[in-house]
Amino acid sequence: KEVETQTKLANVVVLATGGTIAGAGASAANSATYQAAKVGIEQLIAGIPELSKLANVRGEQVMQIASESITNDNLLQLGRRVSELADSKDVDGIVITHGTDTLEETAYFLNLVEKTDKPIIVVGSMRPGTAMSADGMLNLYNAVAVASSKEAHGKGVLVTMNDEIQSGRDVSKMINIKTEAFKSAWGPLGMVVEGKSYWFRLPAKRHTMDSEFDIKNIKSLPDVEIAYSYGNVSDTAYKALAQSGAKAIIHAGTGNGSVSSRVVPSLQALRKDGVQIIRSSHVNAGGFVLRNAEQPDDKYDWVVAHDLNPQKARILAMVALTKTNDSKELQRMFWEY
Ligand SMILES: NC(=O)C[C@H](N)C(=O)O
């Protein structure tokens, strides 16, 4: 009978990439001072025997890095492995353990390029497993619970942190010293409580099955860089990034993606030279950039990033540029994804 119940459980693969969820500190009091990417996936899974009641779980170590060091090649490698697993008949759901620093970027990338309606859940932790009140165990338990549930199908790439289910598109790391770190300007999609998910809303933007992008067709990602804006900003960074080969520059602007008069002429010139200029905002609780509001985007042929923060705008720009270099098409994509 036990064997019968076992076979009915969903098959979930946990792809490990490193981060604090695989971190270790010198003592239990070290919640902020520790080394990320130390513990292997087998050990993480073995540390949560309760997982076997949720799903048939197996782990795979894809890489072992702190997420601030993730590269475009790492993204492509991970994306391809997720796609292979999603195509496999004996895989029902995929969990990715990841550092939290760039977790929002990876989750959004996968949300754009994975052609599957199977659950893909990205999860991390704010404290290493060796710390008092470590949050990784429950976050991972919740990730496996959501990955093995029928209701998670077709909802795009999800993130389970702090008992919440967030859309991989919307969620962002808002603070680096609390376990309640991941928030979306538009609210979580649901909650996970004691291994059961409760849903309240659905993503409205195009993703996964409904996306025009497919990891199988992406050989490499173009160079897209970010330049930060502030009072007395100069155009040095923008020019240097363009000179080093950036195909698009994300303007991490103030307020409504506003651009300093000290920088406007250089951005106009760069656009004339073929570099795409994408206006985003670095305001803390989530920017919302309106076209032609702060700057005449139609006249300058610039693109606005809608509500995407600069790091997410970079992800969409890279993926979009694999298909088109037409600024109108890019703008359509920024509205739709
Ligand atoms: N909490 C974390 O995971 C932070 C770590 N630096 C990482 O992103 O890998």
Side-chain angles (χ1 to χ4, degrees):
K1 195 136 194 216
E2 205 175 76
V3 172
E4 253 173 49
T5 4
Q6 283 290 325
T7 53
K8 276 191 203 124
L9 291 176
N11 297 324
V12 172
V13 181
V14 182
L15 295 180
T17 70
T20 297
I21 194 163
S27 96
N30 287 127
S31 60
T33 311
Y34 57 85
Q35 269 194 291
K38 279 283 165 215
V39 182
I41 187 58
E42 297 309 331
Q43 202 182 326
L44 283 188
I45 292 173
I48 318 173
E50 292 77 8
L51 290 180
S52 64
K53 299 220 168 62
L54 294 174
N56 302 313
V57 179
R58 71 175 174 85
E60 226 178 89
Q61 194 77 46
V62 183
M63 56 195 87
Q64 183 67 293
I65 51 179
S67 76
E68 60 271 24
S69 299
I70 211 155
T71 63
N72 287 350
D73 286 341
N74 293 143
L75 273 185
L76 291 172
Q77 182 197 349
L78 178 65
R80 287 185 189 123
R81 188 62 191 133
V82 169
S83 163
E84 281 166 14
L85 290 170
D87 286 348
S88 152
K89 271 212 175 95
D90 60 4
V91 174
D92 301 306
I94 299 156
V95 169
I96 297 138
T97 59
H98 200 289
T100 56
D101 287 355
T102 60
L103 189 150
E104 65 196 83
E105 298 176 36
T106 297
Y108 186 43
F109 175 71
L110 299 174
N111 193 58
L112 293 170
V113 302
E114 297 298 337
K115 284 272 171 234
T116 181
D117 65 357
K118 290 181 186 174
I120 301 170
I121 322 295
V122 191
V123 65
S125 79
M126 297 305 293
R127 295 175 180 150
T130 46
M132 287 184 268
S133 289
D135 53 330
M137 250 177 135
L138 184 55
N139 286 347
L140 181 53
Y141 180 77
N142 286 343
V144 171
V146 176
S148 57
S149 76
K150 292 226 155 41
E151 302 84 56
H153 282 242
K155 291 186 169 70
V157 173
L158 303 165
V159 172
T160 55
M161 297 283 292
N162 203 40
D163 299 352
E164 293 177 338
I165 308 170
Q166 299 275 2
S167 160
R169 177 200 183 270
D170 298 339
V171 79
S172 184
K173 184 174 181 176
M174 306 299 278
I175 188 163
N176 65 311
I177 201 73
K178 290 183 179 180
T179 52
E180 192 185 354
F182 279 73
K183 294 281 167 204
S184 149
W186 319 122
L189 304 179
M191 296 286 300
V192 211
V193 183
E194 295 186 357
K196 188 170 163 23
S197 12
Y198 299 87
W199 295 90
F200 298 103
R201 58 189 106 250
L202 294 173
K205 299 291 187 180
R206 292 176 70 178
H207 61 76
T208 56
M209 293 301 279
D210 185 36
S211 169
E212 68 205 90
F213 312 112
D214 186 339
I215 186 74
K216 292 192 182 86
N217 304 325
I218 301 178
K219 302 277 168 284
S220 64
L221 292 167
D223 184 12
V224 175
E225 304 288 342
I226 301 174
Y228 202 91
S229 197
Y230 44 88
N232 205 50
V233 65
S234 81
D235 59 6
T236 311
Y238 298 86
K239 284 186 184 156
L241 292 172
Q243 222 161 47
S244 76
K247 300 283 174 283
I249 294 177
I250 310 296
H251 167 70
T254 37
N256 180 11
S258 49
V259 187
S260 162
S261 55
R262 290 162 57 89
V263 167
V264 169
S266 296
L267 293 197
Q268 286 176 286
L270 291 178
R271 180 67 201 112
K272 286 214 170 78
D273 289 346
V275 180
Q276 298 286 352
I277 304 298
I278 301 172
R279 290 199 299 121
S280 175
S281 169
H282 64 59
V283 297
N284 294 323
F288 197 106
V289 181
L290 290 167
R291 212 177 151 78
N292 297 317
E294 282 280 351
Q295 290 288 335
D297 297 295
D298 288 348
K299 189 170 151 207
Y300 296 166
D301 196 25
W302 293 349
V303 172
V304 297
H306 193 16
D307 65 324
L308 294 177
N309 66 24
Q311 58 273 30
K312 282 182 191 268
R314 175 183 163 270
I315 295 289
L316 178 55
M318 288 194 301
V319 171
L321 284 168
T322 64
K323 284 228 158 186
T324 182
N325 193 25
D326 180 297
S327 60
K328 292 206 173 51
E329 267 292 276
L330 289 178
Q331 185 62 73
R332 173 187 66 77
M333 290 163 178
F334 269 90
W335 294 134
E336 292 182 3
Y337 293 88

